[in-house]
Each structure stands twice: as C-alpha cells, then as structure tokens.
C-alpha cells in the first residue's frame, strides 16, 4: 500500500514537470517492481497480452477516422447543417459548436479530434461575430468532452477491457449523461450571452428560406449524418463488434472523403495517418505500462487493501461514493482520460464491488468524472489543447470554463452518481 502511494507521487511529479505520460508511467512501473521485489519482466508478458486485445484495435481505427473527418471537410458540412437550424439566433453559433462536438463524438470517440476539427473552424468564426474569445475557447473545451461521453468512446473501450465487461454496455453508460450535458451547455451558452451586445446576429430568414437552407445543408451533410447511425446501429444490432464498427467507420470516411466529396487529398491522407499513428502509439505505450503496473498491484492485493482503507474511513455508501468521485476528479486533473480509466478500473473497482455498485454504473461515473477532470486545472489536457488550437491565453478562458464546469458538468457528476438509471437504463435494453 505504501509502495503504491510512493509510486503515484513519483508519477504525478514527473507529469507535473511535463515528462510524457508514457514515460512517467514507465518509470512508475519500474519503481513499483523494484519496491515490491518482483522482476518487471514477469509482468511485461501480461501487459503485452492486454494491449494485444482485439477490442483495442478499435482505438487506432476511430482515431484515424476522426482525423480524416477533419482533413476531408466532413466536420465543415456538419457545422453548416447544424448552423442552418440555430445559427441565426443570439448565441446560436455557440449552440452549433456544442451540438457538432456531440455529433462528432458519435463518429470519432476522440475529444482531441473534436477540438482540432471543430475548434479551428468555430472559434475564429465566433470571435469574428462578436463572441468573447474566452467564452468561445471555453465552449470548445467543455464541449469536446461530449466526444468522450457519446459512443463510441475510446476511454470506455479501455475501461471495459480492464474490468472485463461488455464494451457496448460501457458505451451506453455515458450516452444519456452526454446528451443531457449537451443540452445543459447549450442552455448555459445562451444564458451567459443574453446581455452581450457585441454579438452580430445574422438576420432571420423567412420560414420558406430557412427550410430550403436546412434541406441544402442536410443534403450536403447527409453522408456524414448517416455515419453515427451506421456505427452505432452495427454495434447494437449485433452485426459488428466495436472494433469491426471502427473499421467500417474508417472505410466509410475514406470512401466519402475520396470518392464522393473528393476533398481528401493524398497529402491529407498521409498526414492524418501519421498523426493517428502518433496518438495511437502514445496511448498504447501508456496502456502497456499501466497494465504492467496493475499486474504487480493485483498480485500484491493492493486494490483490496485500498478498498479496506476507504471502507475504514466510513461504511456509509454515500460517503464512499463521494470519496470515489473525489479520487476520480483528482485523477482526471493529473492524467488523461485513457490512463485514468485503467487506474480507476484497477484501484477503485474493488471499492465499488464492496458497496454493491453495478460495474456499468461505475463506468458511467468514471466517464463523466474523468471528463470533468480533463478540463479542470492544474493539468487539464483538453483545456490547454483548446487554448493551443485557438491561440488564446489561459487568462481569457479559465474563468468562463470554470463557470461551465461548476454549473454544468459538476452537477451532472452528482446526478450520474446518485441516479443509477442515467447510466443503466440504456445498457439494460441490451439484456
């Protein structure tokens, strides 16, 4: 138990001095092996077996399809379609950003891809039309988390493998919270901007012209809109596994981008493939060392000891759930969502089992809470990425971000924690 705390402190230290996440956990795995007196090579085979899982092939497939979507202009067509509904209202472009990030998440499963594809387009556009730069950047940052909550979700793939549960059910555990959060963010966006006088609102079109614009943009974006239905329909009908659905998503994106829209050049294809390979390599490296470290922890019964420690603080279910959420929030603040998913599965699953929490309900709690942590300082990887993409200083968007989080995301964490049906109802339909 003491070794675990020392290793976690060392890993956090290296993360805070900006050592790459994979190397930080690699050092942690080596240190834990040394402190526990076991040969690290004994656990390396387990790590290799875990990262060789067929289900993990979905990660590079969804990442690559997401990067290709941005490169081929599919995200532009989605934006134009959503904009035809609400773009000509005060704060409408903000709602367009939120909704498009949610749709994009139903295709790519990657928050970073959503920031890159949507943020680069929408933030400059919002600023040109009078939106406060900080508000625009914050909105992209918080909306990117919707890509982690609305299936397919890369962190939920990893989490399901780690706890040996159905990937499809883990996907659905965060779907209702994701949709509700999208609605809340749209409402907060309109509320925060209600008294803003700098926003330029385009004149409303006659009803007939509005319908015509919706029809035109809908036709242009139809193939992109069909994509979530094909992916999720294939998974939940039982026709395809999540990995096979990822392959379908990739082939579909290539077909649409190259042959139909003809916007995906060979140069963009090469650059997107390199970027996807870089992101996948970083994720797999982190997962390998986490699985290596987890093997040593399980053999040393560290998760059980940690569960006993938390239960010694209190045996009240509500108190334990609040402690679990606090630990998940701290994890999300320090490490990325994929790493946090594995650590939550390793360390906190025994605690949830001891209080009778359904594993799929726990998946919903993990997904929503880690999403909050990923845009909460000090580390906040998604928040800083949004600032980097939009070229805005932290001082301009940290305040608006915290308002969105405190009034939107944090209440959703409590709702998911204490209303299990939000995470369990859809998975229960799968039987």
């Amino acid at each position: 138990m003491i070794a675990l705390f020392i290793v976690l402190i060392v890993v956090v230290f290296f993360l805070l001095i900006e050592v790459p996440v994979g190397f930080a956990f690699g050092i942690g795995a080596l240190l834990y092996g040394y402190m526990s007196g076991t040969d690290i090579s004994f656990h390396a085979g387990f790590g290799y077996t875990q990262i060789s899982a067929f289900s993990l092939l979905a990660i590079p497939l969804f990442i690559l399809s997401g990067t290709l979507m941005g490169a081929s202009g599919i995200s532009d067509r989605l934006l134009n379609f959503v904009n035809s509904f609400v773009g000509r209202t005060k704060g409408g472009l903000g709602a367009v950003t939120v909704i498009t990030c949610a749709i994009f998440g139903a295709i790519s499963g990657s928050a970073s891809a959503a920031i890159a594809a949507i943020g680069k387009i929408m933030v400059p556009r919002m600023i040109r039309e009078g939106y406060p730069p900080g508000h625009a950047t914050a909105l992209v940052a918080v909306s990117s988390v919707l890509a982690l909550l609305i299936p397919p979700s890369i962190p939920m793939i990893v989490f399901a493998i780690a706890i040996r549960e159905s990937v499809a059910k883990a996907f659905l555990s965060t779907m209702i919270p994701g949709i509700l959060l999208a609605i809340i963010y749209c409402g907060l966006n309109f509320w925060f901007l209600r008294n803003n006088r700098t926003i330029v609102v385009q004149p409303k079109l006659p009803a007939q012209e509005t319908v015509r614009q919706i029809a035109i943009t809908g036709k242009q974006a139809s193939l992109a809109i069909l994509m979530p239905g094909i992916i999720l329909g294939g998974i939940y009908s039982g026709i395809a596994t999540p990995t096979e659905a990822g392959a379908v998503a990739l082939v579909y994106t290539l077909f649409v981008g190259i042959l139909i829209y003809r916007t995906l050049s060979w140069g963009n294809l090469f650059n997107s493939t390199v970027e996807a390979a870089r992101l996948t390599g970083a994720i797999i490296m982190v997962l390998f060392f986490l699985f290596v470290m987890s093997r040593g922890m399980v053999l040393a019964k560290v998760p059980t000891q940690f569960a006993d420690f938390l239960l010694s603080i209190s045996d009240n279910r509500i108190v334990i759930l609040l402690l679990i959420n606090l630990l998940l929030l701290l994890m999300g603040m320090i490490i990325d969502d994929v790493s946090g998913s594995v650590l939550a599965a390793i360390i906190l699953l025994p605690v949830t089992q001891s209080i009778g929490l359904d594993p799929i309900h726990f998946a919903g709690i993990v997904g929503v809470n880690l999403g909050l942590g990923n845009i909460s300082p000090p580390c906040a990887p998604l928040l800083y990425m949004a600032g980097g993409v939009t070229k805005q200083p932290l001082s301009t968007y940290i305040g608006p971000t915290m308002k969105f989080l405190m009034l939107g995301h944090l209440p959703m964490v409590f709702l998911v924690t204490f209303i299990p049906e939000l995470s369990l109802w859809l998975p229960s339909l799968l039987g």
Side-chain angles (χ1 to χ4, degrees):
M1 189 70 172
I2 295 175
L4 171 63
F5 283 115
I6 293 174
V7 168
L8 290 178
I9 290 171
V10 169
V11 170
V12 170
F13 169 75
F14 281 113
L15 290 172
L16 291 177
I17 62 174
E18 299 185 357
V19 171
V21 177
F23 292 116
F25 279 108
I27 294 169
L30 292 172
L31 179 60
Y32 186 80
Y34 173 78
M35 294 184 68
S36 61
T38 58
D39 186 352
I40 194 69
S41 62
F42 175 72
H43 306 302
F46 175 78
Y48 179 77
T49 301
Q50 290 294 97
I51 65 170
S52 300
F54 175 74
S55 300
L56 284 183
L57 280 174
I59 294 177
L61 293 171
F62 281 121
I63 289 177
L64 181 54
S65 64
T67 55
L68 290 174
M69 276 186 61
S72 61
I74 292 177
S75 54
D76 294 9
R77 294 169 182 260
L78 286 173
L79 284 167
N80 291 334
F81 176 62
V82 178
N83 187 63
S84 64
F85 283 93
V86 294
R88 293 176 181 270
T89 58
K90 189 172 185 178
L93 285 181
V96 170
T97 301
V98 175
I99 296 168
T100 310
C101 279
I103 297 173
F104 197 89
I107 300 171
S108 70
S110 170
S112 57
I115 291 174
I118 309 301
K120 286 180 180 178
I121 301 170
M122 288 306 297
V123 172
R125 187 170 171 180
M126 283 191 279
I127 292 174
R128 282 198 306 270
E129 297 199 11
Y131 284 68
H135 177 92
T137 303
L139 194 59
V140 168
V142 299
S143 300
S144 70
V145 176
L146 299 174
L148 305 177
L149 301 180
I150 296 176
S153 166
I154 291 173
M156 285 296 100
I157 294 173
V158 175
F159 184 82
I161 291 171
I163 66 171
R164 294 177 173 81
E165 284 285 344
S166 163
V167 173
K169 288 186 176 181
F171 278 171
L172 288 179
S173 70
T174 57
M175 187 166 185
I176 291 178
I179 293 172
L180 291 177
L181 198 55
I183 295 171
I184 291 170
Y185 279 155
C186 285
L188 289 174
N189 165 71
F190 285 120
W191 177 257
F192 293 155
L193 298 175
R194 68 192 186 283
N195 296 323
N196 189 297
R197 297 181 180 179
T198 64
I199 295 177
V200 177
V201 181
Q202 297 179 10
K204 286 189 178 296
L205 296 173
Q208 186 176 356
E209 180 63 19
T210 299
V211 172
R212 194 178 78 85
Q213 287 296 319
I214 291 174
I216 292 172
T217 56
K219 181 180 179 180
Q220 293 172 341
S222 58
L223 294 176
I225 297 167
L226 280 174
M227 197 170 176
I230 293 172
I231 296 171
L232 299 180
I235 294 173
Y236 296 117
S237 66
I239 296 174
T241 65
T243 300
E244 291 165 346
V248 171
L250 176 57
V251 172
Y252 186 86
T253 304
L254 289 170
F255 175 76
V256 171
I258 295 175
L259 298 179
I260 305 300
Y261 292 160
R262 298 186 179 182
T263 52
L264 187 60
S265 67
W266 292 112
N268 287 337
L269 177 61
F270 176 79
N271 293 333
S272 296
T273 303
V274 170
E275 177 64 14
R278 186 186 66 80
L279 291 172
T280 302
I283 290 173
I284 294 301
M285 184 177 180
V286 170
L287 290 178
F288 173 76
F289 285 117
L290 279 170
F291 284 131
V292 168
M293 195 160 63
S294 73
R295 180 67 167 177
M297 290 180 184
V298 170
L299 292 177
K301 298 182 178 179
V302 169
T304 304
Q305 294 172 18
F306 189 76
D308 292 339
F309 169 72
L310 281 186
L311 292 172
S312 69
I313 297 174
S314 173
D315 59 359
N316 185 288
R317 181 184 174 89
I318 294 177
V319 173
I320 295 298
L321 286 172
L322 290 174
L323 287 173
I324 288 172
N325 274 297
L326 178 60
L327 290 169
L328 287 171
L329 178 60
L330 293 174
M331 283 184 191
M333 287 180 175
I334 297 168
I335 57 179
D336 62 276
D337 51 334
V338 173
S339 307
S341 297
V342 178
L343 280 179
I346 298 165
I347 299 173
L348 296 177
L349 184 62
V351 183
T352 64
Q353 291 173 331
S354 67
I355 60 173
L357 195 71
D358 189 289
I360 299 301
H361 181 199
F362 183 45
I365 295 173
V366 169
V368 175
N369 205 318
L370 289 179
L372 173 62
N374 277 187
I375 41 180
S376 300
C379 290
L382 295 179
L383 180 63
Y384 299 146
M385 181 182 178
V389 167
T390 60
K391 309 298 182 187
Q392 296 295 322
L394 178 62
S395 58
T396 63
Y397 59 85
I398 187 65
T401 298
M402 296 310 296
K403 288 197 293 184
F404 276 114
L405 297 185
M406 296 302 292
L407 297 176
H409 207 131
L410 185 59
M412 184 55 61
V413 169
F414 290 115
L415 288 174
V416 172
T417 301
F418 296 108
I419 305 178
E421 289 75 16
L422 291 177
S423 294
L424 294 177
W425 181 68
L426 285 178
S428 70
L429 299 180
L430 296 181

